[in-house]
Amino acid sequence: MRWLIRILLSLVALLILAGAGFYLYVQSLPTKPPAFVSAADLQSGQASMPLNCAAGSALNAAYRVRVEVQSRLNGQPVYASSLSFRTQLQQANADLIRAVATDIRVDEGDGAEALPDLPYLSRVESGQGAVFVAFNDLGLMEQHPLAVISQLLKGLSVGKEGETYRYAYDSLQRLYRYRHTPSATERAVFSTGTGLSLLSRDFDAHRSDWRIVSDGGCLPQQLVSTERQALQIAGQQGFIEFRLQAEGIPLYADLSRYVFSASANATQRWQMRQVSTADFAAPVTSAEDMWSVFAGFAEERNSARLIRAAEYLLDHLSPYELAEALQGVGPELSDEAGRDLIFALGITGRPEAEDFMLDVLQALPQGAGEAADMQKVRLMVALSGNGRVTPRAYSALDSLARNAQESVNVQANALINMGSMVRQLERQGTDSRSQQQQLSQLLSERMDGPQAASAIMAANNGGLTNLDGDIIAHLASSSSRERYAAGMTLSRNPQHYPLLLEHLQGESSNLVNQTILANLDVSKLSQVQRNQLDTLASRSADADKARLIQQFLSR
């Protein structure tokens, strides 16, 4: 009997320990769940809710802000920019903050550039001061310089002592705790998953470079904050650092002039200065070293060294030597290494890379079998993905697509990549109307033959809409490849949603069903259309189709 009692006591002890462990884990989590804010919240009609720190008044403040951003890899500077702007924040209704950034100047080393005013939203709650618990950039692109406003809101937030904060909008995703003394307010930064005991006892060890000057109100009068994030890019170690300074200024903006819609900033664009990590990779100094890099890339994944090897190839090999190597003549080159070599040529950014690849493409023989055809396909993909496409490259692929001596595979892939090239020419600002007309005519001719699926995918890649009538007809094709291509292309246009929802009812291939659903935008479905899909899922005898539809509707 004693042994049974001992076992029971041991089990009770284990349960107590497990419960204590779970309690400590829960205590280490942020004190409150994440909050969000949307443009629709502005219409709620609720009166503003004064914060405890605001002495009964709605929050209303303005700042002059300066942000310095720098990145270093392997100890060398690779990027630096400065950003300045003014911003005004105003409590609208309930705990909602509407705000605007104005007088925006961005300098990436080539002189300051002015950007349009930028409205944004936030949500606030009381801490020791104000805590900005949510941020909405109203459709701003991810790489826009003003995305740094999220760091400003986090920096201005002053939380309660003893609570743990995790700002859902913060790209760094860390835990923050605050400590208040008669002489200063301090902030400590911890990685997510830090245990309660460490959060409680190691404040000093994790104290961040964050300083505020406050008069006891909701928001600081001055802020200086520096945060750093480790980076690992293409085998290079480094960091990105944000240094932010903000100083309170008198109110200056009339926020009623601005539109606070969900897509208010969607049209704002910014092309960040590109940084090549290859500049910081060890140089490739010999042919032996070059072939070694290509052979080892699949395992090492060091794209910086891969680009260096491709640059060495451009400087030291002729297109004809490379064409022979890709056919197995000369140094031993595995199929995988050949693939990576061609990929590297496409991303070097060197202006002569396109001509080089075109010459290699021309040097590879016709009708030499699948291996040679595969190299041609890879070269065409690299050419169409090259950021510096020219009409000459389009003409070269047009010749391949029309050459009856080439295999069906080469002709079909030439069509597909011609579509990508037309789109790339347009993105570059090159007049591509002639290429669009030529491609439309060629694709129209190929729609009724064995290359119909490739022609449809080419139209999709090229953004051509004048062939939709022909493409719709292929939804009834007996070829699942053609239905797949048609479904993928048509599902990207909401005008075709009714037709596609009807087609889903009788589509037997779940691969086709999947590509249609994957390209539909669930937010653009009407309630009737959602109900139509829900009914189809509930009545379908095909469990996989039902699952695909339910997963789509739950997005």
Side-chain angles (χ1 to χ4, degrees):
M1 190 68 175
R2 287 183 177 177
W3 64 270
L4 181 58
I5 293 174
R6 287 177 181 174
I7 291 175
L8 290 173
L9 289 174
S10 298
L11 288 173
V12 170
L14 287 171
L15 286 171
I16 291 173
L17 287 173
F22 180 71
Y23 172 77
L24 291 174
Y25 165 74
V26 170
Q27 291 299 306
S28 72
L29 296 176
T31 309
K32 294 184 178 181
F36 303 95
V37 60
S38 73
D41 296 333
L42 275 173
Q43 313 304 323
S44 67
Q46 294 179 315
S48 61
M49 299 166 49
L51 304 178
N52 297 336
C53 56
S57 301
L59 200 65
N60 206 358
Y63 290 92
R64 179 175 289 105
V65 182
R66 182 172 180 82
V67 184
E68 303 287 342
V69 181
Q70 66 160 322
S71 290
R72 298 179 75 89
L73 289 175
N74 282 6
Q76 299 184 58
V78 296
Y79 176 81
S81 68
S82 62
L83 167 68
S84 63
F85 59 94
R86 291 193 298 169
T87 187
Q88 182 164 318
L89 306 98
Q90 180 183 81
Q91 193 166 357
N93 50 274
D95 58 352
L96 191 81
I97 299 291
R98 61 177 183 171
V100 65
T102 66
D103 307 299
I104 305 165
R105 299 288 186 277
V106 183
D107 188 351
E108 292 187 318
D110 300 319
E113 182 173 344
L115 298 184
D117 294 354
L118 188 136
Y120 61 96
L121 297 175
S122 183
R123 194 178 293 281
V124 69
E125 67 178 32
S126 290
Q128 183 72 15
V131 177
F132 295 97
V133 295
F135 167 60
N136 189 327
D137 58 20
L138 301 178
L140 190 68
M141 65 179 293
E142 186 176 352
Q143 298 298 325
H144 195 281
L146 264 293
V148 80
I149 286 175
S150 64
Q151 300 301 312
L152 171 66
L153 295 177
K154 182 182 67 178
L156 292 173
S157 299
V158 182
K160 295 178 182 178
E161 188 163 336
E163 292 193 5
T164 303
Y165 294 84
R166 181 174 181 174
Y167 299 95
Y169 55 82
D170 176 23
S171 60
L172 301 180
Q173 283 302 287
R174 294 168 174 170
L175 301 180
Y176 297 84
R177 287 173 71 88
Y178 299 83
R179 183 167 67 188
H180 306 284
T181 67
S183 58
T185 296
E186 299 171 320
R187 187 182 74 177
V189 182
F190 301 84
S191 62
T192 54
T194 302
L196 176 62
S197 60
L198 184 61
L199 288 171
S200 302
R201 74 171 187 271
D202 276 5
F203 190 99
D204 289 333
H206 291 81
R207 189 167 46 202
S208 65
D209 184 3
W210 176 82
R211 300 184 302 280
I212 61 170
V213 175
S214 175
D215 61 359
C218 283
L219 292 172
Q221 296 171 299
Q222 295 180 14
L223 161 70
V224 177
S225 175
T226 303
E227 284 205 71
R228 181 178 288 188
Q229 176 73 15
L231 294 176
Q232 182 174 354
I233 302 174
Q236 313 295 306
Q237 304 288 337
F239 64 84
I240 182 169
E241 180 180 274
F242 302 90
R243 181 168 179 79
L244 189 150
Q245 301 176 68
E247 180 179 12
I249 59 174
L251 302 177
Y252 69 93
D254 178 7
L255 271 65
S256 65
R257 296 175 43 236
Y258 296 92
V259 175
F260 293 86
S261 66
S263 58
N265 300 319
T267 59
Q268 294 218 28
R269 290 289 179 265
W270 178 259
Q271 181 63 51
M272 180 177 288
R273 183 169 63 84
Q274 298 300 304
V275 177
S276 174
T277 56
D279 295 340
F280 308 95
V284 173
T285 57
S286 68
E288 182 181 5
D289 191 14
M290 176 190 73
W291 296 120
S292 174
V293 171
F294 293 138
F297 177 73
E299 182 176 343
E300 297 172 3
R301 294 293 172 185
N302 188 336
S303 58
R305 282 277 285 166
L306 185 71
I307 293 173
R308 278 291 178 92
E311 291 174 341
Y312 183 92
L313 187 151
L314 288 171
D315 293 334
H316 294 87
L317 263 69
S318 73
Y320 312 103
E321 289 174 308
L322 179 56
E324 288 187 343
L326 292 173
Q327 296 175 80
V329 179
E332 184 177 345
L333 190 68
S334 69
D335 181 68
E336 197 172 51
R339 176 202 64 194
D340 296 334
L341 182 160
I342 293 171
F343 164 73
L345 288 173
I347 63 172
T348 60
R350 293 268 290 263
E352 70 270 29
E354 182 186 81
D355 284 343
F356 188 94
M357 288 189 285
L358 288 173
D359 289 341
V360 175
L361 192 59
Q362 187 175 14
L364 288 169
Q366 300 175 6
E370 291 185 7
D373 285 353
M374 180 56 69
Q375 305 297 8
K376 289 185 179 183
V377 170
R378 290 168 175 168
L379 283 162
M380 288 189 284
V381 172
L383 283 162
S384 65
N386 178 19
R388 303 183 180 187
V389 172
T390 67
R392 180 182 176 229
Y394 175 88
S395 297
L397 267 62
D398 182 68
S399 296
L400 287 175
R402 298 176 189 271
N403 189 346
Q405 301 302 312
E406 295 287 356
S407 69
V408 173
N409 187 31
V410 169
Q411 292 181 59
N413 277 277
L415 282 179
I416 293 170
N417 287 286
M418 286 164 66
S420 300
M421 283 187 175
V422 164
R423 180 68 66 89
Q424 181 59 35
L425 286 168
E426 185 179 5
R427 287 175 181 149
Q428 294 171 190
T430 304
D431 186 355
S432 61
R433 287 174 294 181
S434 173
Q435 286 80 15
Q436 289 179 12
Q437 292 172 1
Q438 292 173 18
L439 182 60
S440 294
Q441 179 62 39
L442 180 58
L443 297 183
S444 180
E445 296 169 2
R446 301 290 171 92
M447 282 288 181
D448 295 328
Q451 295 177 16
S454 299
I456 295 170
M457 294 180 71
N460 177 65
N461 291 350
L464 305 179
T465 58
N466 57 329
L467 298 171
D468 281 5
D470 293 329
I471 295 172
I472 288 171
H474 283 83
L475 279 176
S477 171
S478 60
S479 166
S480 62
R481 290 182 69 248
E482 293 178 16
R483 299 199 307 276
Y484 177 94
M488 177 184 68
T489 302
L490 297 172
S491 58
R492 295 178 181 178
N493 185 344
Q495 292 181 354
H496 299 310
Y497 283 9
L499 171 69
L500 291 169
L501 295 186
E502 181 180 348
H503 177 78
L504 283 171
Q505 298 180 33
E507 176 55 61
S508 59
S509 168
N510 278 326
L511 190 60
V512 176
N513 292 327
Q514 184 177 28
T515 194
I516 291 174
L517 292 169
N519 289 286
L520 292 177
D521 186 343
V522 69
S523 67
K524 294 180 179 178
L525 291 175
S526 67
Q527 189 58 51
V528 171
Q529 290 171 334
R530 292 180 68 96
N531 292 342
Q532 185 180 349
L533 278 173
D534 195 41
T535 301
L536 175 58
S538 63
R539 295 179 179 177
S540 177
D542 186 336
D544 289 335
K545 178 189 283 191
R547 177 179 52 80
L548 287 171
I549 295 172
Q550 289 164 352
Q551 288 176 345
F552 166 73
L553 291 173
S554 66
R555 290 206 307 237

